[in-house]
Amino acid sequence: MAINEETITQLGMKPYENRTAQLADGTVITLPIVSPIHVKFANRTATCSAMVLPGSTEMLLGAIPMEEMDVLIHPQKKK
């Protein structure tokens, strides 16, 4: 999961460690980690850590919280 700096500032969260991540273009960077992040979707919830992306970068839900909530995305049905 990835959340941006703008949101972390609004939530008043502080990173507790840094981790290395590889971006889609192959670039390797070190990003701060925040936790816990509580995610809610419909009647399901998940708790996870999140990497902090710079500025107001688009946030990413990620496979781990989706799996924890037993959520599946169906692109053709847009559900």
Side-chain angles (χ1 to χ4, degrees):
M1 179 166 184
I3 192 166
N4 61 41
E5 284 176 327
E6 186 177 291
T7 303
I8 293 304
T9 300
Q10 290 172 358
L11 295 173
M13 297 183 80
K14 302 286 183 207
Y16 68 92
E17 71 177 14
N18 293 309
R19 289 190 195 159
T20 303
Q22 184 173 2
L23 304 179
D25 68 0
T27 305
V28 176
I29 60 173
T30 300
L31 295 170
I33 304 296
V34 293
S35 185
I37 301 287
H38 301 286
V39 182
K40 292 183 180 184
F41 178 78
N43 63 342
R44 300 177 184 265
T45 62
T47 302
C48 60
S49 298
M51 291 186 165
V52 181
L53 301 172
S56 60
T57 304
E58 186 175 358
M59 296 183 276
L60 304 168
L61 179 57
I64 293 171
M66 287 176 52
E67 288 177 8
E68 186 175 332
M69 293 185 291
D70 198 26
V71 172
L72 299 174
I73 303 299
H74 195 297
Q76 290 177 331
K77 292 184 179 181
K78 296 183 180 179
K79 289 180 153 187

PDB file of all heavy atoms in Angstrom, residues 5-35:
ATOM      1  N   GLU A   5       2.500  11.956   1.028  1.00  0.00           N
ATOM      2  CA  GLU A   5       2.935  12.841   2.119  1.00  0.00           C
ATOM      3  C   GLU A   5       1.837  13.815   2.534  1.00  0.00           C
ATOM      4  O   GLU A   5       1.686  14.110   3.718  1.00  0.00           O
ATOM      5  CB  GLU A   5       4.151  13.660   1.685  1.00  0.00           C
ATOM      6  CG  GLU A   5       5.440  12.909   1.652  1.00  0.00           C
ATOM      7  CD  GLU A   5       6.579  13.777   1.126  1.00  0.00           C
ATOM      8  OE1 GLU A   5       6.354  14.646   0.275  1.00  0.00           O
ATOM      9  OE2 GLU A   5       7.711  13.541   1.590  1.00  0.00           O
ATOM     10  N   GLU A   6       1.092  14.315   1.560  1.00  0.00           N
ATOM     11  CA  GLU A   6       0.023  15.275   1.854  1.00  0.00           C
ATOM     12  C   GLU A   6      -0.995  14.670   2.829  1.00  0.00           C
ATOM     13  O   GLU A   6      -1.385  15.298   3.807  1.00  0.00           O
ATOM     14  CB  GLU A   6      -0.654  15.678   0.548  1.00  0.00           C
ATOM     15  CG  GLU A   6      -1.690  16.760   0.679  1.00  0.00           C
ATOM     16  CD  GLU A   6      -2.249  17.139  -0.680  1.00  0.00           C
ATOM     17  OE1 GLU A   6      -1.496  17.727  -1.484  1.00  0.00           O
ATOM     18  OE2 GLU A   6      -3.431  16.839  -0.920  1.00  0.00           O
ATOM     19  N   THR A   7      -1.386  13.437   2.584  1.00  0.00           N
ATOM     20  CA  THR A   7      -2.358  12.766   3.443  1.00  0.00           C
ATOM     21  C   THR A   7      -1.761  12.449   4.808  1.00  0.00           C
ATOM     22  O   THR A   7      -2.421  12.616   5.835  1.00  0.00           O
ATOM     23  CB  THR A   7      -2.875  11.482   2.762  1.00  0.00           C
ATOM     24  OG1 THR A   7      -3.441  11.845   1.498  1.00  0.00           O
ATOM     25  CG2 THR A   7      -3.919  10.784   3.607  1.00  0.00           C
ATOM     26  N   ILE A   8      -0.508  12.019   4.832  1.00  0.00           N
ATOM     27  CA  ILE A   8       0.166  11.703   6.101  1.00  0.00           C
ATOM     28  C   ILE A   8       0.220  12.955   6.979  1.00  0.00           C
ATOM     29  O   ILE A   8      -0.009  12.898   8.189  1.00  0.00           O
ATOM     30  CB  ILE A   8       1.586  11.158   5.843  1.00  0.00           C
ATOM     31  CG1 ILE A   8       1.507   9.803   5.166  1.00  0.00           C
ATOM     32  CG2 ILE A   8       2.387  11.055   7.135  1.00  0.00           C
ATOM     33  CD1 ILE A   8       0.706   8.767   5.883  1.00  0.00           C
ATOM     34  N   THR A   9       0.499  14.101   6.371  1.00  0.00           N
ATOM     35  CA  THR A   9       0.533  15.370   7.115  1.00  0.00           C
ATOM     36  C   THR A   9      -0.851  15.678   7.685  1.00  0.00           C
ATOM     37  O   THR A   9      -0.977  16.055   8.853  1.00  0.00           O
ATOM     38  CB  THR A   9       1.012  16.511   6.196  1.00  0.00           C
ATOM     39  OG1 THR A   9       2.315  16.186   5.736  1.00  0.00           O
ATOM     40  CG2 THR A   9       1.045  17.833   6.941  1.00  0.00           C
ATOM     41  N   GLN A  10      -1.896  15.507   6.866  1.00  0.00           N
ATOM     42  CA  GLN A  10      -3.266  15.768   7.320  1.00  0.00           C
ATOM     43  C   GLN A  10      -3.651  14.845   8.478  1.00  0.00           C
ATOM     44  O   GLN A  10      -4.362  15.260   9.395  1.00  0.00           O
ATOM     45  CB  GLN A  10      -4.260  15.587   6.173  1.00  0.00           C
ATOM     46  CG  GLN A  10      -4.164  16.649   5.113  1.00  0.00           C
ATOM     47  CD  GLN A  10      -5.028  16.343   3.900  1.00  0.00           C
ATOM     48  OE1 GLN A  10      -5.684  15.305   3.829  1.00  0.00           O
ATOM     49  NE2 GLN A  10      -5.023  17.240   2.937  1.00  0.00           N
ATOM     50  N   LEU A  11      -3.185  13.605   8.438  1.00  0.00           N
ATOM     51  CA  LEU A  11      -3.510  12.633   9.481  1.00  0.00           C
ATOM     52  C   LEU A  11      -2.605  12.774  10.716  1.00  0.00           C
ATOM     53  O   LEU A  11      -2.886  12.179  11.757  1.00  0.00           O
ATOM     54  CB  LEU A  11      -3.394  11.206   8.933  1.00  0.00           C
ATOM     55  CG  LEU A  11      -4.387  10.832   7.837  1.00  0.00           C
ATOM     56  CD1 LEU A  11      -4.048   9.457   7.279  1.00  0.00           C
ATOM     57  CD2 LEU A  11      -5.813  10.872   8.357  1.00  0.00           C
ATOM     58  N   GLY A  12      -1.527  13.527  10.584  1.00  0.00           N
ATOM     59  CA  GLY A  12      -0.599  13.707  11.701  1.00  0.00           C
ATOM     60  C   GLY A  12       0.220  12.470  12.010  1.00  0.00           C
ATOM     61  O   GLY A  12       0.680  12.279  13.133  1.00  0.00           O
ATOM     62  N   MET A  13       0.441  11.622  11.002  1.00  0.00           N
ATOM     63  CA  MET A  13       1.208  10.390  11.206  1.00  0.00           C
ATOM     64  C   MET A  13       2.702  10.659  11.032  1.00  0.00           C
ATOM     65  O   MET A  13       3.098  11.521  10.263  1.00  0.00           O
ATOM     66  CB  MET A  13       0.760   9.310  10.228  1.00  0.00           C
ATOM     67  CG  MET A  13      -0.692   8.902  10.415  1.00  0.00           C
ATOM     68  SD  MET A  13      -1.159   7.575   9.294  1.00  0.00           S
ATOM     69  CE  MET A  13      -0.465   6.179  10.198  1.00  0.00           C
ATOM     70  N   LYS A  14       3.514   9.872  11.739  1.00  0.00           N
ATOM     71  CA  LYS A  14       4.970   9.972  11.649  1.00  0.00           C
ATOM     72  C   LYS A  14       5.532   8.625  11.190  1.00  0.00           C
ATOM     73  O   LYS A  14       5.153   7.576  11.714  1.00  0.00           O
ATOM     74  CB  LYS A  14       5.578  10.324  13.012  1.00  0.00           C
ATOM     75  CG  LYS A  14       5.067  11.618  13.604  1.00  0.00           C
ATOM     76  CD  LYS A  14       5.643  12.800  12.885  1.00  0.00           C
ATOM     77  CE  LYS A  14       5.170  14.073  13.560  1.00  0.00           C
ATOM     78  NZ  LYS A  14       5.123  15.188  12.671  1.00  0.00           N
ATOM     79  N   PRO A  15       6.444   8.645  10.215  1.00  0.00           N
ATOM     80  CA  PRO A  15       7.083   7.397   9.770  1.00  0.00           C
ATOM     81  C   PRO A  15       7.888   6.763  10.909  1.00  0.00           C
ATOM     82  O   PRO A  15       8.412   7.460  11.767  1.00  0.00           O
ATOM     83  CB  PRO A  15       8.020   7.849   8.655  1.00  0.00           C
ATOM     84  CG  PRO A  15       7.494   9.175   8.223  1.00  0.00           C
ATOM     85  CD  PRO A  15       6.875   9.787   9.435  1.00  0.00           C
ATOM     86  N   TYR A  16       7.964   5.426  10.905  1.00  0.00           N
ATOM     87  CA  TYR A  16       8.731   4.735  11.941  1.00  0.00           C
ATOM     88  C   TYR A  16       9.969   4.039  11.400  1.00  0.00           C
ATOM     89  O   TYR A  16      10.823   3.599  12.166  1.00  0.00           O
ATOM     90  CB  TYR A  16       7.857   3.740  12.711  1.00  0.00           C
ATOM     91  CG  TYR A  16       7.390   2.547  11.913  1.00  0.00           C
ATOM     92  CD1 TYR A  16       8.117   1.371  11.902  1.00  0.00           C
ATOM     93  CD2 TYR A  16       6.213   2.599  11.180  1.00  0.00           C
ATOM     94  CE1 TYR A  16       7.693   0.272  11.176  1.00  0.00           C
ATOM     95  CE2 TYR A  16       5.772   1.505  10.467  1.00  0.00           C
ATOM     96  CZ  TYR A  16       6.507   0.350  10.457  1.00  0.00           C
ATOM     97  OH  TYR A  16       6.079  -0.728   9.731  1.00  0.00           O
ATOM     98  N   GLU A  17      10.088   3.914  10.078  1.00  0.00           N
ATOM     99  CA  GLU A  17      11.288   3.338   9.464  1.00  0.00           C
ATOM    100  C   GLU A  17      11.304   3.679   7.984  1.00  0.00           C
ATOM    101  O   GLU A  17      10.339   4.252   7.469  1.00  0.00           O
ATOM    102  CB  GLU A  17      11.356   1.822   9.657  1.00  0.00           C
ATOM    103  CG  GLU A  17      10.352   1.030   8.849  1.00  0.00           C
ATOM    104  CD  GLU A  17      10.518  -0.487   9.017  1.00  0.00           C
ATOM    105  OE1 GLU A  17      11.224  -0.925   9.939  1.00  0.00           O
ATOM    106  OE2 GLU A  17       9.927  -1.213   8.222  1.00  0.00           O
ATOM    107  N   ASN A  18      12.385   3.324   7.304  1.00  0.00           N
ATOM    108  CA  ASN A  18      12.505   3.504   5.852  1.00  0.00           C
ATOM    109  C   ASN A  18      12.733   2.153   5.211  1.00  0.00           C
ATOM    110  O   ASN A  18      13.394   1.285   5.798  1.00  0.00           O
ATOM    111  CB  ASN A  18      13.671   4.435   5.515  1.00  0.00           C
ATOM    112  CG  ASN A  18      13.418   5.844   5.979  1.00  0.00           C
ATOM    113  OD1 ASN A  18      12.375   6.411   5.691  1.00  0.00           O
ATOM    114  ND2 ASN A  18      14.355   6.410   6.714  1.00  0.00           N
ATOM    115  N   ARG A  19      12.194   1.979   3.995  1.00  0.00           N
ATOM    116  CA  ARG A  19      12.401   0.737   3.234  1.00  0.00           C
ATOM    117  C   ARG A  19      12.730   1.066   1.788  1.00  0.00           C
ATOM    118  O   ARG A  19      12.275   2.069   1.252  1.00  0.00           O
ATOM    119  CB  ARG A  19      11.135  -0.130   3.249  1.00  0.00           C
ATOM    120  CG  ARG A  19      10.854  -0.753   4.579  1.00  0.00           C
ATOM    121  CD  ARG A  19       9.752  -1.770   4.477  1.00  0.00           C
ATOM    122  NE  ARG A  19       9.259  -2.096   5.809  1.00  0.00           N
ATOM    123  CZ  ARG A  19       8.084  -2.613   6.050  1.00  0.00           C
ATOM    124  NH1 ARG A  19       7.257  -2.890   5.064  1.00  0.00           N
ATOM    125  NH2 ARG A  19       7.718  -2.875   7.287  1.00  0.00           N
ATOM    126  N   THR A  20      13.471   0.188   1.167  1.00  0.00           N
ATOM    127  CA  THR A  20      13.811   0.332  -0.236  1.00  0.00           C
ATOM    128  C   THR A  20      12.679  -0.240  -1.084  1.00  0.00           C
ATOM    129  O   THR A  20      12.129  -1.299  -0.764  1.00  0.00           O
ATOM    130  CB  THR A  20      15.123  -0.408  -0.545  1.00  0.00           C
ATOM    131  OG1 THR A  20      16.136   0.113   0.314  1.00  0.00           O
ATOM    132  CG2 THR A  20      15.536  -0.238  -1.983  1.00  0.00           C
ATOM    133  N   ALA A  21      12.324   0.476  -2.157  1.00  0.00           N
ATOM    134  CA  ALA A  21      11.258   0.029  -3.055  1.00  0.00           C
ATOM    135  C   ALA A  21      11.708   0.220  -4.495  1.00  0.00           C
ATOM    136  O   ALA A  21      12.500   1.107  -4.805  1.00  0.00           O
ATOM    137  CB  ALA A  21       9.989   0.837  -2.801  1.00  0.00           C
ATOM    138  N   GLN A  22      11.191  -0.632  -5.377  1.00  0.00           N
ATOM    139  CA  GLN A  22      11.480  -0.493  -6.799  1.00  0.00           C
ATOM    140  C   GLN A  22      10.217   0.004  -7.495  1.00  0.00           C
ATOM    141  O   GLN A  22       9.148  -0.600  -7.374  1.00  0.00           O
ATOM    142  CB  GLN A  22      11.917  -1.829  -7.403  1.00  0.00           C
ATOM    143  CG  GLN A  22      12.311  -1.702  -8.854  1.00  0.00           C
ATOM    144  CD  GLN A  22      12.912  -2.983  -9.403  1.00  0.00           C
ATOM    145  OE1 GLN A  22      13.011  -3.994  -8.713  1.00  0.00           O
ATOM    146  NE2 GLN A  22      13.317  -2.950 -10.643  1.00  0.00           N
ATOM    147  N   LEU A  23      10.336   1.109  -8.217  1.00  0.00           N
ATOM    148  CA  LEU A  23       9.214   1.681  -8.940  1.00  0.00           C
ATOM    149  C   LEU A  23       8.965   0.928 -10.243  1.00  0.00           C
ATOM    150  O   LEU A  23       9.806   0.124 -10.677  1.00  0.00           O
ATOM    151  CB  LEU A  23       9.484   3.162  -9.233  1.00  0.00           C
ATOM    152  CG  LEU A  23       9.788   4.037  -8.013  1.00  0.00           C
ATOM    153  CD1 LEU A  23      10.055   5.468  -8.464  1.00  0.00           C
ATOM    154  CD2 LEU A  23       8.645   3.991  -7.022  1.00  0.00           C
ATOM    155  N   ALA A  24       7.835   1.192 -10.885  1.00  0.00           N
ATOM    156  CA  ALA A  24       7.465   0.512 -12.128  1.00  0.00           C
ATOM    157  C   ALA A  24       8.505   0.714 -13.228  1.00  0.00           C
ATOM    158  O   ALA A  24       8.701  -0.165 -14.062  1.00  0.00           O
ATOM    159  CB  ALA A  24       6.096   0.999 -12.600  1.00  0.00           C
ATOM    160  N   ASP A  25       9.210   1.854 -13.209  1.00  0.00           N
ATOM    161  CA  ASP A  25      10.226   2.115 -14.237  1.00  0.00           C
ATOM    162  C   ASP A  25      11.589   1.510 -13.893  1.00  0.00           C
ATOM    163  O   ASP A  25      12.568   1.712 -14.598  1.00  0.00           O
ATOM    164  CB  ASP A  25      10.353   3.615 -14.493  1.00  0.00           C
ATOM    165  CG  ASP A  25      10.938   4.381 -13.314  1.00  0.00           C
ATOM    166  OD1 ASP A  25      11.255   3.770 -12.266  1.00  0.00           O
ATOM    167  OD2 ASP A  25      11.080   5.613 -13.439  1.00  0.00           O
ATOM    168  N   GLY A  26      11.650   0.783 -12.777  1.00  0.00           N
ATOM    169  CA  GLY A  26      12.886   0.121 -12.373  1.00  0.00           C
ATOM    170  C   GLY A  26      13.735   0.927 -11.399  1.00  0.00           C
ATOM    171  O   GLY A  26      14.705   0.409 -10.856  1.00  0.00           O
ATOM    172  N   THR A  27      13.395   2.177 -11.170  1.00  0.00           N
ATOM    173  CA  THR A  27      14.129   3.022 -10.231  1.00  0.00           C
ATOM    174  C   THR A  27      13.995   2.478  -8.817  1.00  0.00           C
ATOM    175  O   THR A  27      12.911   2.101  -8.393  1.00  0.00           O
ATOM    176  CB  THR A  27      13.569   4.463 -10.260  1.00  0.00           C
ATOM    177  OG1 THR A  27      13.605   4.951 -11.591  1.00  0.00           O
ATOM    178  CG2 THR A  27      14.373   5.380  -9.354  1.00  0.00           C
ATOM    179  N   VAL A  28      15.109   2.424  -8.083  1.00  0.00           N
ATOM    180  CA  VAL A  28      15.102   1.968  -6.697  1.00  0.00           C
ATOM    181  C   VAL A  28      15.235   3.199  -5.799  1.00  0.00           C
ATOM    182  O   VAL A  28      16.156   4.002  -5.974  1.00  0.00           O
ATOM    183  CB  VAL A  28      16.251   0.979  -6.428  1.00  0.00           C
ATOM    184  CG1 VAL A  28      16.300   0.578  -4.965  1.00  0.00           C
ATOM    185  CG2 VAL A  28      16.093  -0.252  -7.322  1.00  0.00           C
ATOM    186  N   ILE A  29      14.279   3.351  -4.861  1.00  0.00           N
ATOM    187  CA  ILE A  29      14.286   4.493  -3.945  1.00  0.00           C
ATOM    188  C   ILE A  29      14.013   4.003  -2.524  1.00  0.00           C
ATOM    189  O   ILE A  29      13.546   2.889  -2.324  1.00  0.00           O
ATOM    190  CB  ILE A  29      13.243   5.564  -4.342  1.00  0.00           C
ATOM    191  CG1 ILE A  29      11.826   4.979  -4.328  1.00  0.00           C
ATOM    192  CG2 ILE A  29      13.557   6.166  -5.686  1.00  0.00           C
ATOM    193  CD1 ILE A  29      10.732   6.009  -4.539  1.00  0.00           C
ATOM    194  N   THR A  30      14.313   4.859  -1.558  1.00  0.00           N
ATOM    195  CA  THR A  30      14.017   4.568  -0.155  1.00  0.00           C
ATOM    196  C   THR A  30      12.848   5.454   0.259  1.00  0.00           C
ATOM    197  O   THR A  30      12.869   6.664   0.039  1.00  0.00           O
ATOM    198  CB  THR A  30      15.240   4.843   0.734  1.00  0.00           C
ATOM    199  OG1 THR A  30      16.310   4.002   0.283  1.00  0.00           O
ATOM    200  CG2 THR A  30      14.938   4.537   2.184  1.00  0.00           C
ATOM    201  N   LEU A  31      11.815   4.826   0.838  1.00  0.00           N
ATOM    202  CA  LEU A  31      10.611   5.545   1.244  1.00  0.00           C
ATOM    203  C   LEU A  31      10.321   5.312   2.721  1.00  0.00           C
ATOM    204  O   LEU A  31      10.565   4.221   3.250  1.00  0.00           O
ATOM    205  CB  LEU A  31       9.402   5.064   0.426  1.00  0.00           C
ATOM    206  CG  LEU A  31       9.429   5.351  -1.064  1.00  0.00           C
ATOM    207  CD1 LEU A  31       8.306   4.615  -1.755  1.00  0.00           C
ATOM    208  CD2 LEU A  31       9.343   6.838  -1.323  1.00  0.00           C
ATOM    209  N   PRO A  32       9.752   6.318   3.397  1.00  0.00           N
ATOM    210  CA  PRO A  32       9.339   6.134   4.788  1.00  0.00           C
ATOM    211  C   PRO A  32       8.113   5.221   4.869  1.00  0.00           C
ATOM    212  O   PRO A  32       7.334   5.116   3.922  1.00  0.00           O
ATOM    213  CB  PRO A  32       8.999   7.548   5.267  1.00  0.00           C
ATOM    214  CG  PRO A  32       9.041   8.434   4.084  1.00  0.00           C
ATOM    215  CD  PRO A  32       9.569   7.681   2.932  1.00  0.00           C
ATOM    216  N   ILE A  33       7.944   4.566   6.027  1.00  0.00           N
ATOM    217  CA  ILE A  33       6.819   3.664   6.276  1.00  0.00           C
ATOM    218  C   ILE A  33       6.014   4.192   7.456  1.00  0.00           C
ATOM    219  O   ILE A  33       6.585   4.617   8.460  1.00  0.00           O
ATOM    220  CB  ILE A  33       7.321   2.242   6.623  1.00  0.00           C
ATOM    221  CG1 ILE A  33       8.227   1.705   5.522  1.00  0.00           C
ATOM    222  CG2 ILE A  33       6.159   1.293   6.904  1.00  0.00           C
ATOM    223  CD1 ILE A  33       7.552   1.499   4.193  1.00  0.00           C
ATOM    224  N   VAL A  34       4.681   4.166   7.328  1.00  0.00           N
ATOM    225  CA  VAL A  34       3.786   4.526   8.434  1.00  0.00           C
ATOM    226  C   VAL A  34       2.871   3.341   8.727  1.00  0.00           C
ATOM    227  O   VAL A  34       2.609   2.507   7.864  1.00  0.00           O
ATOM    228  CB  VAL A  34       2.927   5.776   8.123  1.00  0.00           C
ATOM    229  CG1 VAL A  34       3.799   7.007   8.021  1.00  0.00           C
ATOM    230  CG2 VAL A  34       2.094   5.586   6.884  1.00  0.00           C
ATOM    231  N   SER A  35       2.396   3.275   9.959  1.00  0.00           N
ATOM    232  CA  SER A  35       1.506   2.197  10.371  1.00  0.00           C
ATOM    233  C   SER A  35       0.863   2.596  11.686  1.00  0.00           C
ATOM    234  O   SER A  35       1.469   3.363  12.449  1.00  0.00           O
ATOM    235  CB  SER A  35       2.321   0.919  10.546  1.00  0.00           C
ATOM    236  OG  SER A  35       1.494  -0.176  10.824  1.00  0.00           O
TER     237      SER A  35
END
